């Protein structure tokens, strides 16, 4: 798509450097013991679609190896079996805190893009499940790329993502200022001519689509 046409429908975009004001988790170099306070499902992947390994029993001790994102720990049981379990304090009692790191914007942007490229060719499905990577819609794809690369949990849909990034700040409606890795938010399509968007305050339009800018 021609960049000029693309820009006409652009409601706003968020700089990757703004998102980096939100804590970014690094791969953990330490482990922490945790206690299962309510029987929890140990899964093969950090997703509700991950296959069931077994139930962790109430009172069982496990080792937290990493926090994948807001919702999942990577853990190991006393038999050395590894898997993923919910981070909910209703099930797991721990003092574990994921380490954080400040990445340079260009480094973070490339990590996001690389993470997204892994899913090239994944089928599109409107309203796709947020708990597996079998299909994606626009906001699900953006959310997954940021989760995989920066362990940053964005909201589930494009409008909520837009509301979230507005709280972080540094948005623009000028596509000339976009950099790779920025999140782009789009308003409803009104035509292929620039005149179709004359007089529209794009920053006030309802978000209907988003994506990651590649450059």
């Amino acid at each position: 798509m021609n960049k000029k046409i693309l820009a006409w429908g652009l409601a706003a975009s968020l700089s990757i450097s703004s998102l980096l004001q939100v804590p970014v988790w690094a791969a953990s170099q330490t482990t922490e013991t945790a206690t299962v306070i309510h029987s929890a499902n140990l899964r093969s992947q950090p997703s509700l679609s991950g296959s069931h390994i077994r139930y962790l029993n109430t009172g069982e001790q496990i080792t937290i190896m990493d926090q994948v994102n807001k919702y999942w720990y990577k853990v190991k049981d006393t038999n050395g079996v590894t898997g993923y379990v919910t981070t909910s304090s209703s099930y797991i009692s721990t003092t574990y805190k994921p380490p954080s790191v400040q990445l340079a914007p260009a480094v973070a942007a490339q990590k996001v893009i690389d993470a997204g490229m892994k899913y090239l060719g994944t089928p599109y499905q409107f309203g796709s499940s947020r708990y597996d990577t079998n299909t994606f819609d626009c906001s699900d794809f953006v959310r997954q790329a940021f989760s995989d690369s920066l362990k940053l949990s964005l909201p589930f849909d494009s409008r909520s993502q837009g509301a979230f990034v507005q709280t972080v700040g540094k948005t623009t409606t000028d596509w000339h200022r976009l950099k790779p890795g920025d999140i782009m938010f789009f308003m409803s399509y009104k035509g292929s001519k620039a005149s179709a968007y004359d007089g529209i305050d794009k920053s006030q339009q309802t978000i209907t689509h988003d994506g990651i800018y590649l450059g």
Side-chain angles (χ1 to χ4, degrees), residues 6 22 31 33 42 48 50 52 63 65-66 77 144 154 163 187 196:
L6 180 149
V22 179
T31 60
T33 299
L42 183 66
L48 291 178
H52 170 80
T63 300
M65 304 170 66
D66 195 8
D77 68 13
Q144 191 69 45
L154 297 176
M187 58 184 277

Side-chain angles (χ1 to χ4, degrees), residues 40-209:
N41 204 333
L42 183 66
R43 295 185 180 274
S44 62
Q45 298 293 329
S47 165
L48 291 178
S49 64
S51 60
H52 170 80
I53 298 175
R54 71 175 184 87
Y55 284 108
L56 299 174
N57 299 316
T58 301
E60 185 174 347
Q61 298 291 299
I62 56 175
T63 300
I64 297 178
M65 304 170 66
D66 195 8
Q67 183 166 342
V68 179
N69 53 39
K70 182 178 179 180
Y71 306 103
W72 296 95
Y73 289 131
K74 181 179 181 180
V75 302
K76 180 170 63 176
D77 68 13
T78 55
N79 294 318
V81 176
T82 60
Y84 300 87
V85 69
T86 176
T87 59
S88 172
S89 59
S90 297
Y91 294 88
I92 306 296
S93 175
T94 182
T95 58
Y96 178 84
K97 298 292 183 183
S100 61
V101 64
Q102 193 70 26
L103 297 177
V107 173
Q110 192 58 53
K111 286 174 70 70
V112 170
I113 292 170
D114 289 346
M117 286 296 185
K118 293 189 307 181
Y119 299 109
L120 192 65
T122 301
Y124 176 86
Q125 180 185 26
F126 179 74
S128 58
S129 170
R130 270 46 179 170
Y131 302 105
D132 63 52
T133 58
N134 296 325
T135 59
F136 287 119
D137 61 15
C138 61
S139 53
D140 187 18
F141 170 74
V142 170
R143 185 174 184 271
Q144 191 69 45
F146 275 84
S147 176
D148 286 358
S149 58
L150 305 181
K151 298 186 179 181
L152 180 63
S153 294
L154 297 176
F156 281 6
D157 62 83
S158 58
R159 293 179 191 176
S160 296
Q161 288 173 4
F164 169 77
V165 300
Q166 283 183 323
T167 67
V168 179
K170 204 170 182 180
T171 60
T172 181
T173 57
D174 182 0
W175 72 268
H176 295 89
R177 298 173 61 186
L178 297 179
K179 295 181 180 179
D182 287 353
I183 301 177
M184 305 174 68
F185 296 93
F186 295 83
M187 58 184 277
S188 295
Y189 179 74
K190 298 184 181 300
S192 60
K193 295 183 178 180
S195 58
Y197 300 87
D198 286 348
I200 295 176
D201 183 353
K202 296 173 185 174
S203 66
Q204 299 301 312
Q205 297 303 300
T206 298
I207 293 171
T208 59
H209 173 65

